[in-house]
Amino acid sequence: MVIGLTGTNGSGKTTLANHLQAKGFYPLSLSDEIREELQRLHLPVDRPHMIEKGNELRRNYGQNVLAVRTLRKIQPDRNYTVDSIRHPTEIEALRGLQGFHLLHVDAPLRVRYERALQRQDARTPKTYEEFVELEARELSGSTPEGQNLNACAAMADVVLQNDGTVEQFLAKAEKQIIDWMRHHPRPGWDEYFMRIARMTALRSNCVKRKVAAIIVRDRRIISTGYNGTPRGVTNCNEGGCQRCNSLAASGTRLDECVCSHGEENAIVQAAYHGISIKDAVLYSTFAPCLQCTKMIINAGIREVVFNAHYPLNDTALQIMQQAGVTLRQIELD
């Protein structure tokens, strides 16, 4: 889950981010990208320079540049907070993440100014009038690349008012986040196994194409296989298959290829270790070829789920249907 935090200066975003960090959320901030730029240029890291440099980065590299850079740091198996979201295109970029939710935090202007004074850091305006002036610039979005907190607030899933005690504010935030966490979707079984198959494909030593298959029974993986040269033969990526290493055109010189297919290896590995695959389900990153289809049928596999079309010829499809093997395709990003 990724909790995006947007809101006005002094509203309590950092307080919430710190609180969630203590609860196991990894903290990220779009402003860190701006701070790094200012430090690299030996410029003051104060609020006016932060606003100016942020606008410059959006103008030169795209309005969502800060979010795009931050997205590279996010791993799918962790919970995060992403602070300092200040432009609608940043939200649009982050919405591509599964499990992203946006909180907008606000509080009365005078209360926020008093909180800013208590921070006593380089970002704190010297006077209330300066605080109000800077706030107006952040809220309005007077230029396409400028901060536009009003637009961000309109895109938020929930708006939290932090006009009471810290404890009350954090309790409200926790209640909302726990509700999101309880309804956070998990991958279905097909997606789960297919993503494992795609990761398995990265072990392939074939230089032409990386393909993998996993065999599942009772929702348990009992065998895996990826394409490459047979055991004891020089790996394809080390020159073991002349056909692949000469970059032969797709579909040609197949009689010269010494690489075994992913489905073939998964079936053979099960046999090698004495594991029955009768009535199992095979997940493959590509649709099986005719040769692998015959092995699948004779091994007693009852269903094949594939991700991408490999040119699946009519004969392979026909004999699979005739043998009663179910064939399904699921598409993943």
Side-chain angles (χ1 to χ4, degrees):
M1 175 171 289
V2 179
I3 304 297
L5 298 176
T6 184
T8 48
N9 185 28
S11 60
K13 302 185 302 299
T14 302
T15 299
L16 178 55
N18 291 339
H19 178 72
L20 291 177
Q21 183 178 2
K23 303 288 186 177
F25 283 75
Y26 289 78
L28 294 173
S29 175
L30 270 58
S31 294
D32 288 342
E33 305 297 328
I34 305 174
R35 293 187 187 95
E36 291 172 7
E37 287 285 332
L38 292 174
Q39 291 167 354
R40 184 177 61 84
L41 297 171
H42 305 290
L43 294 173
V45 185
D46 56 23
R47 196 173 174 206
H49 280 89
M50 291 280 290
I51 294 174
E52 182 180 352
K53 178 55 66 175
N55 292 346
E56 178 185 327
L57 288 171
R58 296 185 190 97
R59 184 167 54 250
N60 293 340
Y61 301 106
Q63 296 173 357
N64 62 358
V65 60
L66 302 179
V68 170
R69 291 183 181 183
T70 301
L71 280 170
R72 298 169 186 162
K73 303 175 182 177
I74 292 177
Q75 301 179 34
D77 58 342
R78 298 179 177 182
N79 291 330
Y80 290 89
T81 57
V82 179
D83 196 2
S84 301
I85 300 170
R86 301 177 182 278
H87 196 278
T89 58
E90 296 167 349
I91 299 171
E92 292 168 1
L94 293 167
R95 287 283 187 203
L97 290 168
Q98 186 180 39
F100 175 79
H101 300 277
L102 183 66
L103 277 174
H104 178 81
V105 186
D106 203 358
L109 188 60
R110 179 63 71 171
V111 171
R112 291 190 285 105
Y113 175 63
E114 296 297 330
R115 291 173 182 166
L117 288 178
Q118 292 173 10
R119 288 199 303 243
Q120 289 300 313
D121 59 21
R123 299 173 297 163
T124 305
K126 296 180 176 60
T127 66
Y128 177 72
E129 288 72 24
E130 182 182 350
F131 183 85
V132 173
E133 180 183 351
L134 286 171
E135 171 115 319
R137 290 168 57 186
E138 293 181 351
L139 291 173
S140 63
S142 55
T143 61
E145 70 277 2
Q147 300 183 27
N148 193 332
L149 293 180
N150 283 334
C152 291
M155 298 173 70
D157 297 302
V158 169
V159 176
L160 289 180
Q161 287 294 328
N162 181 14
D163 51 3
T165 66
V166 173
E167 292 75 18
Q168 290 171 334
F169 167 58
L170 296 178
K172 286 192 295 185
E174 274 197 13
K175 181 179 179 181
Q176 178 59 65
I177 291 168
I178 289 172
D179 182 66
W180 282 331
M181 295 179 78
R182 287 175 176 170
H183 294 89
H184 186 62
R186 296 191 299 165
W189 288 110
D190 280 347
E191 180 182 352
Y192 170 70
F193 289 125
M194 190 60 73
R195 291 200 182 279
I196 293 175
R198 288 173 65 170
M199 180 59 67
T200 304
L202 299 181
R203 279 288 301 166
S204 167
N205 65 63
C206 182
V207 297
K208 284 277 288 179
R209 190 193 302 267
K210 296 187 182 299
V211 182
I214 65 173
I215 300 176
V216 175
R217 190 171 57 202
D218 298 326
R219 293 178 176 173
R220 182 172 62 91
I221 297 171
I222 57 176
S223 184
T224 67
Y226 47 83
N227 62 324
T229 51
R231 183 183 287 109
V233 177
T234 303
N235 286 339
C236 181
N237 59 1
E238 297 171 341
C241 179
Q242 293 303 311
R243 185 258 178 186
C244 291
N245 280 268
S246 64
L247 294 180
S250 296
T252 66
R253 297 170 55 190
L254 295 177
D255 58 325
E256 302 175 29
C257 184
V258 299
C259 290
S260 299
H261 290 188
E263 302 96 324
E264 178 184 359
N265 274 333
I267 292 170
V268 170
Q269 283 299 309
Y272 185 84
H273 293 285
I275 300 171
S276 172
I277 56 176
K278 184 177 183 297
D279 294 326
V281 178
L282 182 141
Y283 287 83
S284 181
T285 55
F286 281 86
C289 68
L290 177 59
Q291 184 65 29
C292 289
T293 295
K294 291 186 287 186
M295 294 184 68
I296 288 167
I297 293 171
N298 284 339
I301 290 171
R302 64 176 173 81
E303 184 175 13
V304 173
V305 184
F306 69 95
N307 181 204
H309 277 285
Y310 178 70
L312 180 63
N313 58 48
D314 292 339
T315 303
L317 177 60
Q318 289 170 4
I319 66 170
M320 202 174 296
Q321 291 176 330
Q322 185 177 349
V325 177
T326 301
L327 182 67
R328 295 189 293 113
Q329 179 183 18
I330 63 166
E331 299 184 22
L332 301 180
D333 296 334

